[in-house]
Amino acid sequence: MNTEALLRDLRGQLRDGGLHGCLLVRDLHTGDELGIDPDTPLPSASLVKIPLAMATLERIRRGELDGATMVEVSPGRITAPGPTGLSRFRHPARVAIDDLLYLSTCLSDGTAANALFDLTPPAQVADMLHELGLRGIIVRHGIRELAETPGLRFDAAQRHLAHALAIDAGTSGRGHRVPQLDTTRTNIGSARAHVELLQALWTPSAIHPEVARRVRDLMAHNVLRHRLAPDFSSDATTWSSKTGTLLNLRHEIGVVEHSDGQAFAIAVLTESLVPAGTQPGAEALMAQIARTLRDHLRQL
């Protein structure tokens, strides 16, 4: 199948699966890439924790922060399904900055990320991205704001109503009645912008090598492996990634490194058109589409 026909077929699969998908797969050695709507900006959700980790590690490198410093963290006390780590703690905890980085990045712990944003505010993270020439990712707020969605205001039996609102309350200009889904007010990035970030982390760039190495190590230890990981993990590959989930948004960005030396940066950002929280079929479809793009690109 030629590339044009393949992309047409994959768009149809996404549509039939109830997904609007924005994807990009890039060979990190040659620069060759394939994508579907890769320049459409979408809310970043927890993908913002990668720039947060970069900014925190850069400040540690400069001596502005000490990774061993203990931080008093208030308990999240969240009981709704989804949040992990400190977000579910019932009592205060003292956690080192280095360990907050692990919790925020590898467990996608929102309370840990909030503690890091308290140390390095969103505007400072945004300035760091600008300094590095990574201008496609916009950071406007921390994680605390993401918790204040309709999804936490309904019980389990009514959670579909929050997803219906997320699907139906948008505008043609990507505004939204839910602030966390409004691209003019929330953290955003396109598939291309996230692939540019991955390329800067995996190949020589303005990011300091030690900072890049530590972010790659955190992403390699991501414990949330239900989305793209099943299609990119094997004895002959390494999959390093970060997920993002918010209402009807399901994202994952990552790099697959093959034992033969090939490496591909992959960004899959999706909006579900189905008002349901649990959609394993959508997760599987995301991985299938991404792998098909990677396989096609690898054979070119």
Side-chain angles (χ1 to χ4, degrees):
M1 185 182 296
N2 64 40
T3 300
E4 183 178 344
L6 174 69
L7 293 177
R8 185 167 56 250
D9 179 66
L10 294 180
R11 286 178 184 274
Q13 290 184 41
L14 286 167
R15 183 176 58 253
D16 293 344
L19 289 177
H20 169 235
C22 302
L23 301 88
L24 187 66
V25 178
R26 177 183 296 171
D27 186 321
L28 289 179
H29 298 311
T30 67
D32 294 338
E33 61 183 34
L34 284 175
I36 296 172
D37 296 338
D39 297 305
T40 300
L42 289 177
S44 299
S46 286
L47 298 183
V48 75
K49 293 169 184 172
I50 297 300
L52 171 63
M54 290 167 50
T56 303
L57 288 165
E58 175 60 20
R59 295 190 65 203
I60 291 173
R61 186 190 71 82
R62 294 176 183 176
E64 298 172 7
L65 296 173
D66 183 343
T69 298
M70 303 299 289
V71 178
E72 186 84 17
V73 183
S74 298
R77 297 189 177 124
I78 296 176
T79 58
T84 60
L86 297 169
S87 297
R88 306 192 78 85
F89 274 32
R90 298 183 179 185
H91 307 286
R94 295 182 72 245
V95 186
I97 292 174
D98 277 334
D99 295 327
L100 289 172
L101 279 166
Y102 169 74
L103 292 169
S104 171
T105 311
C106 302
L107 274 69
S108 205
D109 182 342
T111 296
N114 285 330
L116 293 174
F117 268 123
D118 288 341
L119 296 171
T120 306
Q124 194 169 352
V125 177
D127 288 343
M128 182 270 300
L129 289 171
H130 186 80
E131 291 170 9
L132 295 171
L134 298 167
R135 297 186 172 88
I137 296 173
I138 298 176
V139 181
R140 296 185 172 110
H141 58 75
I143 299 299
R144 192 169 288 111
E145 291 82 352
L146 295 182
E148 300 169 357
T149 70
L152 293 181
R153 299 174 189 172
F154 292 99
D155 60 31
Q158 296 180 311
R159 198 153 293 132
H160 66 282
L161 298 176
H163 288 266
L165 177 64
I167 294 165
D168 297 333
T171 70
S172 58
R174 294 213 159 268
H176 207 286
R177 288 172 58 190
V178 178
Q180 296 86 345
L181 300 179
D182 187 334
T183 58
T184 67
R185 291 187 281 177
T186 194
N187 304 325
I188 62 171
S190 64
R192 185 178 304 281
H194 284 99
V195 164
E196 293 288 347
L197 173 62
L198 294 171
Q199 175 133 21
L201 287 167
W202 258 262
T203 62
S205 72
I207 302 173
H208 191 277
E210 176 60 17
V211 171
R213 183 193 67 78
R214 289 198 60 187
V215 175
R216 292 196 303 269
D217 183 67
L218 287 168
M219 294 179 67
H221 289 89
N222 178 20
V223 302
L224 302 177
R225 304 183 68 80
H226 62 292
R227 195 160 285 166
L228 301 189
D231 275 72
F232 290 102
S233 298
S234 75
D235 289 345
T237 61
T238 300
W239 174 245
S240 306
S241 68
K242 178 73 192 76
T243 59
T245 308
L246 180 68
L247 293 174
N248 68 322
L249 302 179
R250 288 173 176 80
H251 305 331
E252 186 160 357
I253 63 172
V255 170
V256 57
E257 298 172 87
H258 297 274
S259 58
D260 64 3
Q262 285 189 302
F264 297 85
I266 299 169
V268 182
L269 314 182
T270 72
E271 298 172 303
S272 175
L273 305 178
V274 179
T278 302
Q279 296 184 46
E283 316 273 3
L285 179 60
M286 290 171 62
Q288 175 187 327
I289 299 294
R291 178 160 182 169
T292 301
L293 287 172
R294 192 285 311 269
D295 289 350
H296 189 78
L297 189 60
R298 200 177 186 192
Q299 294 166 5
L300 291 179

